[in-house]
Amino acid sequence: MTASRAEDLSRQFKAIADPNRLRLISLISSSAANEACVCDLTEPLDLGQPTVSHHLKILVDAGILHREKRGVWAYFSLVPGALDSLAGVLTEAQ
Amino acid sequence: MTASRAEDLSRQFKAIADPNRLRLISLISSSAANEACVCDLTEPLDLGQPTVSHHLKILVDAGILHREKRGVWAYFSLVPGALDSLAGVLTEAQ
DNA sequence: CCCGTGTATTGACAACTGTCGATATAGCTC
DNA sequence: GAGCTATATCGACAGTTGTCAATACACGGG
């Protein structure tokens, strides 16, 4: 594996390598329309709104979540195939 | 997902969320007998021996690598199924 | 045009992480 | 046991990360 490929992959793994971000992914994927807004996510995680917004931005920047603004609300959903692609890296390694 | 489950998973993802550790995994899995010693790994990564030993310890503590000492050499190999188990978490999430 | 509300950004701070040099430990060979 | 070699541990340091309070921005309703 080249160094730059390893850098790219580590950026994505770093994005999900945080307990609160793993819970965000879990909450979003298991919610009604497979999407959730920030206000739905602060309470179950017991974190402040800026902190949740920060974590969501990291996941969006990593290409794992999609952000769609409708009116005042920002709805977050999983990018189809993003997690599968990361999973593939792990299964191919062994 | 419970908070403690998320903590456990994040510990494993943190272990692989580093470019040099991803390369270590790649190097070990693609080497001859699916194992390698520290001395084989320092040169391709261009890191010092203490640093490589440190990264390997993190992977062993996370249950991803197995360490077997034979004489003066320490041979590292993938723990069967460890990466598959992590991959499963990602595919099930979506 | 305000006001209220949902979200994003900024600045600050403690905690953690990756790296290195120096040193310690373990095991082989003579 | 002495010396050599492979590996592990320690101490230190810069850089990064997660969190919060404060603030800014964006949008809809009156």
Side-chain angles (χ1 to χ4, degrees):
Chain A
M1 182 184 304
T2 68
S4 70
R5 165 76 169 152
E7 296 266 3
D8 288 345
L9 284 176
S10 88
R11 261 186 284 274
Q12 300 203 71
F13 281 121
K14 275 184 204 295
I16 62 173
D18 176 90
N20 287 317
R21 292 199 287 272
L22 285 172
R23 298 187 75 190
L24 284 174
I25 292 172
S26 171
L27 284 167
I28 291 171
S29 72
S30 66
S31 55
N34 287 322
E35 65 179 14
C37 62
V38 180
C39 58
D40 295 330
L41 300 168
T42 54
E43 191 229 339
L45 262 63
D46 197 28
L47 289 177
Q49 172 267 319
T51 303
V52 172
S53 193
H54 167 72
H55 285 308
L56 289 169
K57 178 175 168 52
I58 288 176
L59 289 169
V60 169
D61 288 349
I64 292 165
L65 290 187
H66 172 71
R67 176 183 181 277
E68 184 188 351
K69 191 138 190 194
R70 293 204 296 270
V72 183
W73 291 270
Y75 291 89
F76 293 86
S77 56
L78 284 179
V79 169
L83 292 182
D84 264 336
S85 158
L86 277 182
V89 172
L90 298 184
T91 53
E92 285 161 19
Q94 50 185 341
Chain B
M1 183 185 301
T2 68
S4 70
R5 165 75 168 152
E7 295 269 2
D8 287 345
L9 284 175
S10 87
R11 261 186 284 274
Q12 300 203 74
F13 281 120
K14 275 184 204 295
I16 63 172
D18 176 90
N20 286 318
R21 291 197 289 270
L22 284 172
R23 298 187 75 193
L24 284 173
I25 292 172
S26 171
L27 284 167
I28 290 171
S29 71
S30 67
S31 55
N34 288 321
E35 64 178 14
C37 62
V38 180
C39 58
D40 295 330
L41 299 168
T42 54
E43 190 228 339
L45 261 63
D46 198 27
L47 289 177
Q49 172 267 320
T51 302
V52 172
S53 192
H54 167 73
H55 285 308
L56 290 168
K57 177 175 170 49
I58 288 175
L59 290 169
V60 169
D61 288 348
I64 291 165
L65 290 187
H66 172 72
R67 176 182 180 277
E68 184 188 351
K69 191 137 190 193
R70 294 205 296 270
V72 182
W73 290 271
Y75 291 89
F76 293 86
S77 55
L78 284 177
V79 169
L83 292 181
D84 264 337
S85 157
L86 276 182
V89 173
L90 298 183
T91 53
E92 285 162 18
Q94 51 183 338

